[in-house]
Amino acid sequence: MTADTIEGVQALGAAIEGEVAKVVFGQRDLTRMVTIALLAGGHVLLEGPPGTAKTLLAQAFARAVGLDFGRIQFTPDLMPGDILGSNLFNFQTSSFTLTKGPIFTELLLADEINRTPPKTQAALLEAMQERRVTINGEPHPMSPRFTVLATQNPIEQQGVYPLPEAQLDRFLFKLVVDYPDADEERRIVAEHGGRFKSPVVADFGVGQVADAATIGTAIDTIATVRLADEIVDYIVRLVRATRESADLECGASPRAASLLARAACAAAALDGRDYVIPDDVQRLAGGVLRHRVILSAAAEIEGRGVEQVVAALLDRVDVPR
């Protein structure tokens, strides 16, 4: 499959969604957002209760896009060296040899990332921002397709370490994974309930529809999507409105505006357009902003949530015509 045209990118997105849907039911919108993040060069934080197929989604997505898949189970005793790797002494050669850690992959599942201390969480910062890792003062480049899909459980509050703001800002999207509806849950039970082993995506016929080169071509194609001045102004007004809102103690950064614009270009291409429209921005704004803003004390006392505040800002900011 080629992705050197807008139509090719649209077909690629549909193919990825179709493959993931063979094993993960009722989460096409979630798959679309993860695809947008990959094509926009961003990372994704998935938040949802246990048993909602977050890990399975990551495995199926990695197989569909043809990227090397790695997984790190974050625990309280995990150390930065366990993620990055370290130089070990080789007695046969009487020299130190670099043993690379699991971070050296293309699609990394950081499972339950909030269960490890901030020191270990921070080991991901350089890799997520610059796609390289520095070990003992020596930089080691990573794949340009390196993408982090991190998961966290919002229910448990004991034994967890909330991600600091600097870490949260590295994620393009924070996506909320909810329980499926009754029909989707029935299909899940019918398909998975009779299997007496853990789900393996290959057993469900999930195939590879792309590879790193195809993804790179798609990204180059997305770079040709037109971002009109009116859309740029709209994004800037929206992000600046988060800093001026009385309901928010802290608003979104200029990085959020840049990432929102980049994601909107990817969304437009996946919809078969070579130009961005306000609807692209509005559909993505919640995922881009919800983890970058902090509610004011007054808003919390009134029982207002981040979703309500962001929705109100979208209604308030003038939309270009």
Side-chain angles (χ1 to χ4, degrees), residues 29 63 68 70 93 99 122 136 165 175 204 262-263:
D29 290 342
R63 182 174 178 85
D68 292 336
T93 62
T99 300
N136 291 343
E165 299 305 317
L175 305 177
F204 289 84
R262 194 186 307 169

Side-chain angles (χ1 to χ4, degrees), residues 295-304:
L295 285 174
S296 66
E300 290 187 0
I301 291 172
E302 293 172 3
R304 304 188 66 191

Side-chain angles (χ1 to χ4, degrees), residues 24-319:
V24 180
F25 308 129
Q27 298 286 12
R28 278 188 175 268
D29 290 342
L30 194 64
T31 305
R32 169 58 65 97
M33 294 293 279
V34 175
T35 304
I36 290 172
L38 175 65
L39 297 179
H43 310 281
V44 179
L45 177 62
L46 300 173
E47 182 178 273
T52 48
K54 298 184 295 294
T55 299
L56 189 61
L57 171 69
Q59 293 172 336
F61 186 82
R63 182 174 178 85
V65 299
L67 297 181
D68 292 336
F69 179 74
R71 175 179 178 175
I72 302 174
Q73 186 68 45
F74 282 76
T75 57
D77 60 349
L78 193 71
M79 299 296 290
D82 299 328
I83 297 174
L84 305 179
S86 58
N87 286 311
L88 301 178
F89 187 75
N90 188 326
F91 287 94
Q92 293 181 333
T93 62
S94 297
S95 62
F96 285 92
T97 303
L98 174 64
T99 300
K100 292 184 175 180
I103 198 172
F104 286 92
T105 187
E106 291 179 314
L107 189 65
L108 175 67
L109 173 62
D111 210 1
E112 294 188 291
I113 191 173
N114 59 334
R115 285 201 171 276
T116 201
K119 179 175 70 173
T120 305
Q121 294 172 358
L124 292 173
L125 286 175
E126 183 182 15
M128 293 174 69
Q129 183 65 27
E130 303 177 26
R131 287 179 170 80
R132 72 177 183 187
V133 167
T134 301
I135 301 176
N136 291 343
E138 183 179 350
H140 298 274
M142 306 178 69
S143 167
R145 304 282 77 82
F146 175 71
T147 304
V148 175
L149 294 183
T151 70
Q152 66 179 15
N153 176 4
I155 299 175
E156 293 179 293
Q157 300 299 323
Q158 294 183 342
V160 298
Y161 302 84
L163 293 175
E165 299 305 317
Q167 184 90 43
L168 286 172
D169 201 42
R170 296 304 195 279
F171 288 98
L172 169 58
F173 295 135
K174 177 183 177 182
L175 305 177
V176 178
V177 185
D178 204 354
Y179 291 112
D181 62 31
D183 291 338
E184 292 164 352
E185 190 162 0
R186 186 186 184 285
R187 186 183 175 196
I188 291 170
V189 174
E191 292 287 341
H192 294 274
R195 297 175 181 265
F196 292 89
K197 64 176 183 177
S198 298
V200 178
V201 294
D203 294 344
F204 289 84
V206 177
Q208 179 180 338
V209 296
D211 54 24
T214 305
I215 299 301
T217 302
I219 292 173
D220 291 339
T221 303
I222 290 170
T224 66
V225 173
R226 297 194 304 275
L227 192 65
D229 290 342
E230 294 81 5
I231 300 296
V232 173
D233 292 341
Y234 178 50
I235 293 172
V236 171
R237 290 199 307 272
L238 180 59
V239 171
R240 289 183 67 86
T242 65
R243 300 176 217 151
E244 299 164 358
S245 172
D247 293 322
L248 298 174
E249 179 182 327
C250 180
S253 67
R255 177 189 289 158
S258 297
L259 292 177
L260 179 54
R262 194 186 307 169
C265 290
L270 288 171
D271 281 347
R273 285 179 280 104
D274 63 354
Y275 55 91
V276 177
I277 61 176
D279 284 353
D280 298 323
V281 178
Q282 293 172 342
R283 287 202 308 269
L284 302 177
V288 173
L289 297 176
R290 64 166 57 99
H291 57 298
R292 290 185 163 90
V293 299
I294 299 175
L295 285 174
S296 66
E300 290 187 0
I301 291 172
E302 293 172 3
R304 304 188 66 191
V306 169
E307 306 292 338
Q308 291 175 279
V309 174
V310 172
L313 290 176
L314 285 170
D315 290 337
R316 190 183 313 156
V317 176
D318 291 337
V319 180

